[in-house]
Amino acid sequence: MNYHFSDKILPLKPSAIREMFKYTENPNILSFGGGNPAPETFPIAEIRRISADILQNRYVEALQYGITEGYRPLRERLRSQLRELHNIGTDSDNVIIISGAQQAMDLVSKVMTNEGDTVLSEDPSFIGALNCFRSYNTNLAGVPMAEDGMDLAALEHAMKTQPNVRLLYMIPTFQNPTGITTSLEKRKKIYELICQYDVILIEDNPYGDLRYAGEEIPTFKSMDEEHRVIYVGSFSKIISPGIRLGYIVAPAEINAKLTVAKQAADVHTNMFFQMVVDQYLEEGNIDANIARACEIYSRKLNLMLDLIDEYFPKEVKTTRPQGGLFLWCDLPAEADGVKFADLALRHELAIVPGQTFMCRTNRPYPGFRLNFSMPSEADIRQGIPVMGQILKAYLADLQ
Ligand SMILES: Cc1ncc(COP(=O)(O)O)c(C=O)c1O
């Protein structure tokens, strides 16, 4: 058969990370590639108990169709807690529940862009979001990153010169893939720029709660006087990704349109797990779960950084995140992350090459991402020194 696939799907390639899972099924391979949260952070005892209770006592609501905006008690709880604790949301904002943060990128693209409009993004960035913007045939334009967030001159240049800039996509805190956090000073300047150039910002913040050092930095949403920030949160990294629960805080006018788009996409997010999460939040144990996750991840991150300092060649420049699940390694300009990732795989180490995360994936990139949430401490102790040896050999061969 000669199937006629749409122009939307043809430019999309299977995710290099999903492809890599094929190899990581080999038990001998140590993976620093994926980005899953560690299963020991799932609050399984509570989920088991609350689930049984809901299925016993409130099963009709849990198993019946619900409203598209989401389970009302959860929406109201999130609205008041985000406002009280993080100054997120105003009277003109509301909350809708979505099927994972990933759905926000799809709904916002559908609602806010036409084909050919520009979406600006940090470069590199999260592949799931980039692929979503690509699938709507937008003009995806990357803005290079510095240690404290995007290069502001490049951002302003892109806003001035790219056609119809509609959206700026950012992960300002513990970015995937770099681990970089945008400084407060840069946040203020970026906010001024989006106001000046009439751009809507998607602030994607799935890692904000996973802070292991340093002070919380105010979100863009908390400074959103002009009502142009769509804030996206997720329970994937602080409860479980399999339950597929996230939320959007945005001006009610935007959320009304996103709700229509969501109705067409999946009617509503899984009711049962909305009720489980609402009850879990009601019981007040989430802070303890986050603290436990932070303890596990910060130990792994510090171990990885110490071993990198000891074993990686000095030409490799590594970010030193204060939270999240990832760090980023830049190699000298003549290196190629894809070639290095192939070499590492031959030594039974999986990493994701930097090129995969770029807005333009057709150019080699001299770097790669490392994940520290999934490998055990023993895996990190075993894998990082070996990676250091392979890096030394690879860089020596380039000379
Ligand atoms: C930056 C970023 N945004 C969104 C997501 C998707 O999250 P969710 O599981 O809530 O759809 C991820 C997942 O890794 C991510 O890294």
Side-chain angles (χ1 to χ4, degrees), residues 121-125 130 141-145 150 175 357-360:
S121 165
E122 297 164 318
D123 201 20
S125 188
L130 299 184
V143 179
M145 296 290 273
M150 280 182 294
Q175 201 232 18
F357 303 97
M358 305 309 286
C359 291
R360 302 259 177 278

Side-chain angles (χ1 to χ4, degrees), residues 6-266:
S6 75
D7 293 346
K8 292 188 178 66
I9 204 70
L10 287 176
L12 300 191
K13 295 190 209 103
S15 151
I17 299 176
R18 304 259 161 245
E19 290 293 286
M20 214 177 52
F21 278 141
K22 290 181 199 157
Y23 299 102
T24 52
E25 277 164 15
N26 173 346
N28 296 326
I29 288 188
L30 292 181
S31 178
F32 299 96
N36 289 354
E40 60 267 32
T41 64
F42 302 158
I44 181 58
E46 285 100 331
I47 291 179
R48 234 181 234 140
R49 175 177 47 75
I50 295 170
S51 297
D53 177 58
I54 289 173
L55 290 175
Q56 180 68 36
N57 298 311
R58 292 190 283 153
Y59 62 89
V60 175
E61 207 176 359
L63 302 181
Q64 190 53 278
Y65 280 120
I67 60 167
T68 304
E69 289 87 340
Y71 182 56
R72 191 176 302 280
L74 178 60
R75 292 177 67 206
E76 283 168 7
R77 181 185 305 287
L78 286 171
R79 187 168 190 212
S80 62
Q81 285 190 353
L82 288 165
R83 211 159 157 176
E84 245 166 61
L85 300 176
H86 303 285
N87 193 25
I88 287 175
T90 62
D91 285 345
S92 53
D93 290 313
N94 63 18
V95 176
I96 58 173
I97 311 294
I98 49 176
S99 304
Q102 175 68 31
Q103 191 174 38
M105 278 42 102
D106 188 62
L107 299 179
V108 175
S109 301
K110 194 178 258 174
V111 162
M112 308 297 284
T113 67
N114 288 316
E115 288 195 12
D117 285 349
T118 297
V119 178
L120 299 178
S121 165
E122 297 164 318
D123 201 20
S125 188
F126 168 52
I127 310 172
L130 299 184
N131 265 344
C132 190
F133 303 132
R134 291 184 181 112
S135 76
Y136 284 89
N137 287 341
T138 59
N139 169 42
L140 179 60
V143 179
M145 296 290 273
E147 265 175 31
D148 57 349
M150 280 182 294
D151 175 333
L152 292 183
L155 175 62
E156 180 156 21
H157 181 73
M159 285 182 171
K160 270 188 192 154
T161 56
Q162 294 285 347
N164 289 339
V165 179
R166 293 286 181 246
L167 295 174
L168 169 61
Y169 172 69
M170 289 184 68
I171 309 153
T173 305
F174 315 133
Q175 201 232 18
N176 178 8
T178 60
I180 289 172
T181 292
T182 302
S183 66
L184 181 57
E185 203 189 348
K186 274 203 173 168
R187 290 181 194 217
K188 288 182 179 161
K189 291 191 177 140
I190 293 168
Y191 191 76
E192 279 170 22
L193 286 174
I194 61 168
C195 294
Q196 188 180 340
Y197 291 92
D198 190 20
V199 173
I200 297 289
L201 173 69
I202 305 178
E203 178 173 28
D204 188 9
N205 192 22
Y207 303 109
D209 287 318
L210 299 178
R211 175 175 281 284
Y212 322 133
E215 295 294 313
E216 184 175 330
I217 298 181
T219 57
F220 280 96
K221 190 66 192 162
S222 69
M223 50 179 97
D224 185 23
E225 284 175 5
E226 284 210 7
H227 312 294
R228 51 175 70 250
V229 178
I230 298 174
Y231 180 86
V232 183
S234 171
F235 291 106
S236 288
K237 308 300 188 305
I238 52 174
I239 297 183
S240 137
I243 62 175
R244 309 304 306 129
L245 262 188
Y247 53 91
I248 296 176
V249 185
E253 206 178 327
I254 295 182
N255 267 346
K257 292 279 188 272
L258 296 175
T259 301
V260 176
K262 181 169 168 63
Q263 209 157 33
D266 64 356

Side-chain angles (χ1 to χ4, degrees), residues 257-326:
K257 292 279 188 272
L258 296 175
T259 301
V260 176
K262 181 169 168 63
Q263 209 157 33
D266 64 356
V267 186
H268 63 75
T269 295
N270 181 303
M271 272 301 284
F272 173 66
F273 273 117
Q274 292 189 70
M275 293 174 71
V276 171
V277 166
D278 184 57
Q279 181 63 35
Y280 181 62
L281 296 179
E282 159 91 27
E283 293 178 5
N285 293 324
I286 191 148
D287 287 345
N289 202 55
I290 292 172
R292 202 166 57 92
C294 286
E295 201 191 310
I296 294 171
Y297 294 147
S298 74
R299 264 208 320 270
K300 291 184 182 187
L301 169 63
N302 290 333
L303 176 63
M304 187 177 270
L305 285 171
D306 286 349
L307 291 166
I308 284 174
D309 289 344
E310 193 173 344
Y311 291 99
F312 277 19
K314 296 296 165 246
E315 307 92 290
V316 180
K317 301 284 172 246
T318 306
T319 56
R320 303 186 83 87
Q322 294 189 318
L325 305 185
F326 306 104

